[in-house]
């Protein structure tokens, strides 16, 4: 027997122990070991299946997906659990996820640590439970609960798992000892597959389906998962298992599942920086400068993770208003049932206002989130530089400005970096960490550590205008604007990109953010050099007419009072026609395919430059930025993965096509794209030498 699975008999109970760090994924060695152990139960009267380390099985081994299957399969192992002559008790601690939960459902009983969680996160990988989870879970918790877990993918608590019948008992204290004591009382088999499926509550089912259709728009796994779970009440167990397998295999090697697996690993890789050999500094007290939307959100992100935060604003009135807003947001969370009122108030209490810069002297990390102007940022950094401890890290939340220039004004630029949060900062998972030319390894690892502790997905970016995300967004927005001027109605541009999978179209997004932001930015840029004037001339005129977007109830669209729904506006259509005429643009039909292709190619081409310049460490980091910060559909894997899936030869050919059509200014293919296409290679395989 391998070291990964060992067994030992204690009295009448056989203990099958699995030790496959870090998360006891159910790879071939585990499946083989458990199956062998079950084949030899000796004179034991019951068995306990227990995992060492931090968790019970976290699921099938994802690294095996896409490779030739090896026997015994997970289904074979689970069948062996069911066919074992003695009852088997799953001793569940940590996170029992996916195939891990399915394994537990193959056991006769399940005892779960009070802090344990269970779930079917497969949907996040573009699949659904494919080892009997869709058949066994409905027998214990009913179809609506089973489908809810399958489609929303979120783990539930131990208490909830017991309440809905998925687990039998909660364990306080040592899970193994408690499972052994439990096993001593169980001599009868209790096989889940033999239980009937309870009648389905149709109203509950409709609710679950409606929620999934909204939150997982475009994801094909929803349909297959639903069909698999519903079959539990329509077919006998064996036929329904066959049906589950067929529907599962349809997804497993499809493009959506490949993209989502790519994202799973990309999000874990993005926190790793090649050649970085430093230890993080301490992170106790956090300082935040600025109590507006960003500063408030950043303070909440840290307070939510248990950190004590000090917040300061140059303007006492603004600070008071900022804190009131934070309090209101916490209480709103409590009233929606997301956290208890006591927890909301606790979190709020962790954020302490300070009325002078001196209050930052005790902070380990101070993040500035003030007005986006270099002179304002520099003045704040001068104050922080004077009061911060020499070993404290100072970060700017700028979304565009030169971090090196900000750092240059301080005594020690090594402790300065960018921490670019996305709004709302307490909700959005992405954190761009901007490494300046002089940023020390220690400052960088401390920022990465902070990101992990506040449960953000960090991506390290080099210094350039807009860093990874906003720099790429420029070309995307430009092509959307040009397609509109060339002939597509605003709603056609937005619909094309919404149908591609973006949460909203770029023009409606401009209205939401405020058209004046881009307008103000363009005042310090050179038309034709830094941006394409034709792509924003409409927006400029609208701002000058007082139509700044949603906040003025009119922008590219119009809005009814207290509604965010964009309404196409014939006045804007007429304005577009006039501008086109004035600028000598011959309007023509622009198809949805062209809109999507131009916007995507613009993203990809800029992404290639970012990669080649070393601003991003790897292509998958760019994907992480776009999926987590800009709503790029996860099931397409981010723009660089999407390009690799299209094939870089095709991407290059289409980029050249637009270069011929529209000229070289915005369409010259990035040298890296040319090189990789010629080598028949991919962005994913490329590494800067
Ligand atoms: N297979 C292979 N590797 C896995 C894995 C899995 N199921 N789950 C985690 N890992 C790896 C990670 O890639 C990471 O590797 P690295 O250290 O080389 O980067 C390492 O384990 C630790 O993972 P995390 O950094 O994510 O650790 P955390 O402590 O933050 O989180 C966790 C632990 C909650 C278990 C999280 O890893 C997780 O959610 N894992 C995926 C769970 C999942 O999706 N399970 C379903 C798999 S599909 C399935 O079971 C199909 C079946 O229905 C047939």
């Amino acid at each position: 027997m391998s070291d990964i699975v060992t067994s030992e008999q204690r009295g009448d109970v056989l203990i099958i122990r699995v030790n496959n760090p870090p998360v006891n994924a159910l790879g071939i060695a585990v499946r083989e070991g458990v199956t062998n152990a079950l084949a030899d139960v000796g004179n034991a009267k019951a068995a306990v299946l227990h995992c060492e380390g931090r968790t019970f099985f976290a699921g099938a081994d994802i690294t095996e997906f896409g490779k030739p299957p090896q026997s015994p399969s997970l289904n074979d192992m689970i069948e062996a659990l069911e066919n074992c002559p003695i009852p088997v008790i799953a001793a569940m601690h940590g996170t029992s996820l996916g195939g891990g939960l399915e394994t537990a459902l193959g056991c006769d009983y399940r005892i779960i640590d009070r802090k344990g969680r269970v779930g079917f996160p497969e949907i996040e990988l573009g699949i659904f439970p494919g080892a009997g989870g869709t058949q066994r879970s409905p027998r214990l918790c009913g179809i609506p609960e089973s489908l809810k877990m399958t489609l929303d993918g979120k783990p539930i608590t131990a208490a909830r798992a017991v309440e809905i019948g998925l687990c039998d008992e909660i364990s306080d204290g040592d899970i193994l000892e408690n499972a052994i004591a439990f096993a001593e009382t169980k001599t009868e088999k209790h096989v889940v597959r033999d239980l009937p499926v309870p009648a389905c509550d149709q109203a509950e089912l409709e609710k679950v389906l409606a929620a999934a259709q909204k939150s997982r728009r475009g994801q094909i796994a929803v349909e297959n998962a639903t069909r698999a779970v519903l079959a539990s009440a329509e077919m006998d167990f064996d036929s329904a298992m066959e049906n589950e397998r067929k529907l599962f295999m349809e997804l497993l090697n499809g493009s959506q599942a490949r993209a989502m697996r790519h994202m799973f690993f990309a999000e874990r890789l993005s926190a790793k920086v090649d050649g970085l050999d430093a230890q993080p500094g301490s992170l106790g007290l956090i300082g935040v400068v600025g109590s507006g939307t960003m500063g408030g959100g950043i303070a909440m992100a840290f307070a939510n993770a248990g950190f004590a935060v000090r917040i300061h604003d140059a303007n006492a009135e603004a600070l008071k208003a900022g804190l009131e807003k934070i309090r209101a947001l916490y209480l709103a969370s409590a009233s929606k049932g997301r956290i208890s009122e006591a927890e909301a108030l606790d979190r709020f209490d962790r954020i302490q206002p300070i009325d002078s810069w001196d209050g930052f002297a005790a902070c380990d990390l101070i993040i500035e989130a003030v007005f986006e102007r270099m002179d304002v940022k520099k003045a704040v950094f001068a104050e922080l530089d004077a009061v911060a401890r020499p070993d404290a890290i100072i970060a700017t939340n700028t979304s565009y400005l030169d971090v090196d220039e900000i750092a240059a004004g301080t005594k020690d630029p090594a402790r300065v970096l960018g921490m670019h949060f996305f709004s709302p900062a307490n909700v959005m998972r992405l954190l761009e960490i901007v490494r300046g030319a002089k940023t020390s390894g220690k400052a960088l690892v401390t920022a990465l550590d902070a990101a992990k502790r506040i449960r953000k997905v960090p991506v390290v970016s080099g210094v350039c205008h807009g860093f990874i995300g906003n720099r790429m967004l420029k070309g995307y927005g430009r092509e959307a604007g040009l397609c509109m001027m060339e002939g597509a109605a605003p709603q056609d541009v937005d619909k094309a990109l919404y149908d591609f999978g973006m949460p909203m179209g770029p023009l409606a997004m401009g209205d939401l953010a405020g058209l004046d932001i881009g307008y103000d930015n363009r005042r310090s840029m050179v038309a034709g050099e830094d941006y394409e004037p034709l792509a924003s001339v409409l927006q400029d005129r609208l701002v000058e007419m007082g139509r700044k977007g949603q906040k003025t109830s009119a922008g590219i669209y119009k809005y009814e009072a207290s509604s965010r729904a964009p309404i196409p506006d014939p006045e804007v259509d007429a304005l577009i026609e006039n501008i086109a005429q004035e600028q000598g643009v011959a309007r023509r039909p622009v198809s949805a395919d062209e809109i999507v292709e131009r916007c995507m190619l613009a993203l990809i081409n800029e992404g290639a430059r970012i990669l080649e310049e070393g601003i991003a460490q790897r292509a998958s980091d760019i994907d992480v930025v776009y999926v987590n910060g800009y709503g790029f559909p996860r099931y397409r894997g981010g723009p660089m993965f999407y390009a690799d899936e299209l094939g870089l030869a095709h991407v290059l050919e289409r980029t050249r096509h637009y270069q011929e059509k529209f000229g070289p200014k915005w369409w010259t293919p990035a040298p890296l794209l040319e090189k990789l296409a010629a080598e028949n290679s991919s962005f994913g395989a490329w590494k800067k030498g």
Side-chain angles (χ1 to χ4, degrees):
M1 191 173 282
S2 73
D3 291 347
I4 293 182
V5 181
T6 51
S7 43
E8 163 207 346
Q9 191 164 334
R10 217 194 283 173
D12 286 337
V13 178
L14 178 75
I15 304 162
I16 303 174
R17 278 179 214 272
V18 179
N19 184 14
N20 188 28
V23 296
N24 290 309
L26 284 149
I28 180 63
V30 174
R31 302 195 303 270
E32 210 164 51
V34 171
T35 310
N36 290 342
L38 290 166
D40 180 17
V41 297
N43 62 356
K45 297 211 171 76
V48 167
L49 182 58
H50 169 66
C51 291
E52 302 279 349
R54 65 201 219 216
T55 186
F56 193 69
F57 308 107
D61 186 339
I62 303 167
T63 61
E64 287 183 356
F65 290 178
K67 297 182 186 157
Q70 285 175 282
S71 285
S73 68
L74 191 52
N75 269 323
D76 295 338
M77 186 194 93
I78 292 171
E79 243 178 70
L81 283 164
E82 284 183 334
N83 294 337
C84 180
I86 55 175
V88 185
I89 288 86
M92 302 158 77
H93 72 292
T95 37
S96 308
L97 300 176
L101 176 55
E102 290 176 297
T103 300
L105 297 178
C107 296
D108 298 83
Y109 301 97
R110 287 148 295 281
I111 162 163
I112 181 165
D113 182 74
R114 185 170 294 280
K115 292 201 195 106
R117 289 161 82 78
V118 305
F120 286 136
E122 287 92 337
I123 196 86
E124 292 295 339
L125 296 167
I127 52 175
F128 64 85
T134 65
Q135 302 311 306
R136 292 185 182 90
S137 63
R139 286 172 159 76
L140 289 174
C141 65
I143 284 180
E145 278 299 343
S146 161
L147 196 57
K148 182 166 187 290
M149 286 179 70
T150 304
L151 296 183
D152 80 11
K154 292 193 186 84
I156 59 172
T157 60
R160 179 77 185 143
V162 171
E163 188 185 327
I164 64 176
L166 267 189
C167 292
D168 299 291
E169 203 170 288
I170 293 218
S171 153
D172 285 304
D174 190 313
I175 181 76
L176 177 59
E177 294 307 322
N178 289 341
I180 294 169
F182 184 90
E184 280 162 354
T185 67
K186 300 288 173 197
T187 48
E188 296 288 308
K189 290 285 287 176
H190 185 255
V191 176
V192 176
R193 68 183 282 161
D194 296 337
L195 303 174
V197 176
C200 175
D201 178 335
Q202 280 300 327
E204 272 304 304
L205 181 66
E206 296 300 328
K207 258 190 357 213
V208 171
L209 287 172
Q213 264 141 22
K214 197 163 157 221
S215 66
R216 299 208 174 268
R217 181 173 60 91
Q219 237 186 287
I220 54 175
V222 170
E223 162 81 17
N224 285 29
T226 305
R227 279 165 57 198
V229 173
L230 294 181
S232 65
E234 293 157 0
M235 297 180 186
D236 64 75
F237 187 86
D238 290 335
S239 312
M241 284 293 283
E242 245 175 68
N243 178 61
E244 179 195 84
R245 180 104 302 244
K246 187 176 144 285
L247 292 166
F248 178 82
M249 291 311 292
E250 273 174 22
L251 299 172
L252 187 64
N253 294 318
S255 69
Q256 292 201 353
R258 275 202 309 277
M260 293 177 91
R261 281 203 291 280
H262 161 76
M263 285 311 302
F264 177 85
F265 291 112
E267 283 172 351
R268 280 151 182 86
L269 197 58
S270 72
K272 297 178 181 144
V273 180
D274 290 344
L276 191 61
D277 182 22
Q279 289 304 311
S282 63
L283 277 176
L285 188 58
I286 307 298
V288 176
V289 189
S291 60
T293 307
M294 282 315 291
I298 295 169
M300 288 174 80
F302 279 94
N304 292 350
F307 284 95
V309 180
R310 290 190 176 169
I311 190 164
H312 174 67
D313 202 300
N315 175 333
E317 278 305 300
L319 182 57
K320 193 164 165 260
L323 278 160
E324 271 162 21
K325 185 158 177 222
I326 293 172
R327 190 168 192 275
L329 286 170
Y330 274 134
L331 290 176
S333 267
S335 71
K336 286 180 193 143
R338 291 193 190 129
I339 47 174
S340 67
E341 195 171 321
E343 177 63 24
L345 294 173
D346 266 0
R347 290 183 187 190
F348 178 65
D349 285 346
R350 286 179 204 139
I351 303 174
Q352 289 301 316
I354 49 173
D355 57 13
S356 84
W357 296 101
D358 295 339
F360 287 126
C363 290
D364 300 295
L365 166 68
I366 310 164
I367 302 165
E368 155 289 303
V370 300
F371 192 65
E372 186 78 348
R373 233 176 52 199
M374 186 54 92
D375 56 337
V376 181
K377 302 274 190 201
K378 280 184 172 170
V380 167
F381 266 73
E383 298 285 359
L384 293 176
D385 202 30
V387 296
R389 276 196 335 253
D391 61 331
I393 313 290
I394 319 180
T396 167
N397 176 53
T398 180
S399 31
Y400 287 98
L401 299 176
D402 185 340
V403 173
D404 289 332
E405 191 181 335
I406 297 173
T410 65
K411 290 193 289 281
D412 181 11
R415 62 163 162 168
V416 176
L417 42 65
M419 287 177 81
H420 178 210
F421 289 79
F422 287 70
S423 189
N426 52 319
V427 176
M428 295 287 285
R429 291 182 75 215
L430 179 65
L431 178 58
E432 273 183 326
I433 298 184
V434 186
R435 182 183 201 173
K438 296 197 172 152
T439 302
S440 68
K442 184 184 166 205
L444 190 59
V445 284
T446 308
L448 286 164
D449 185 39
K452 185 170 181 190
R453 289 166 66 175
I454 59 172
R455 293 182 284 279
K456 299 285 176 204
V457 184
V459 173
V460 176
S461 168
V463 175
C464 65
H465 188 76
F467 317 123
I468 298 172
N470 283 340
R471 174 170 158 184
M472 285 169 70
L473 192 62
K474 230 166 84 172
Y476 174 80
R478 179 191 69 233
E479 290 310 312
L482 287 175
C483 287
M484 175 180 71
M485 290 314 300
E486 288 167 28
Q491 61 274 23
D492 295 339
V493 174
D494 281 343
K495 181 171 185 311
L497 290 154
Y498 177 81
D499 288 349
F500 176 79
M502 301 301 290
M504 70 195 299
L507 302 173
M509 187 67 194
D511 271 0
L512 174 67
L515 297 179
D516 50 327
I517 295 179
Y519 181 89
D520 290 344
N521 269 338
R522 285 189 288 279
R523 297 318 95 188
S524 58
M525 293 182 187
V526 183
E529 233 0 90
D530 300 326
Y531 69 94
E532 166 55 58
L534 184 61
S536 48
V537 57
L538 171 76
Q539 287 86 331
D540 285 356
R541 300 267 169 94
L542 291 171
V543 171
E544 282 156 12
M545 289 159 65
R547 296 180 63 133
K548 296 183 186 171
Q550 282 192 16
K551 59 186 159 192
T552 57
S553 295
I556 291 179
Y557 298 96
K558 57 184 176 183
Y559 300 86
E560 277 171 0
S562 72
S563 163
R564 287 166 173 264
I567 303 168
D569 187 347
E571 244 186 78
V572 172
D573 294 340
L575 191 54
I576 295 172
E577 291 287 350
N578 285 344
I579 295 172
Q581 232 174 28
E582 173 194 300
Q583 306 276 330
V585 178
R587 287 180 45 89
R588 63 182 170 93
V590 181
S591 70
D593 284 351
E594 179 177 339
I595 295 165
V596 170
E597 186 174 57
R598 284 170 61 180
C599 290
M600 289 305 130
L601 291 178
L603 270 183
I604 294 163
N605 205 29
E606 196 60 33
R609 292 182 199 281
I610 284 177
L611 202 52
E612 191 163 25
E613 288 167 27
I615 297 293
Q617 290 187 89
R618 41 181 100 85
S620 63
D621 284 2
I622 298 177
D623 292 333
V624 172
V625 167
Y626 260 79
V627 169
N628 290 290
Y630 298 82
F632 196 95
R634 179 172 290 265
Y635 60 78
R636 294 192 191 271
M640 307 317 275
F641 181 86
Y642 176 68
D644 284 346
E645 290 278 288
L646 289 175
L648 295 192
H650 172 79
V651 170
L652 177 62
E653 188 232 299
R654 296 304 297 161
T655 307
R656 283 195 181 132
H657 163 80
Y658 288 116
Q659 183 186 18
E660 260 171 43
K661 197 163 167 183
F662 299 122
K665 176 69 200 165
W666 307 116
W667 282 105
T668 301
L672 183 64
L673 172 59
E674 302 247 19
K675 174 179 141 63
L676 294 176
E679 291 169 359
N680 203 13
S681 186
S682 63
F683 290 127
W686 187 77
K687 212 161 173 28
K688 195 172 166 71

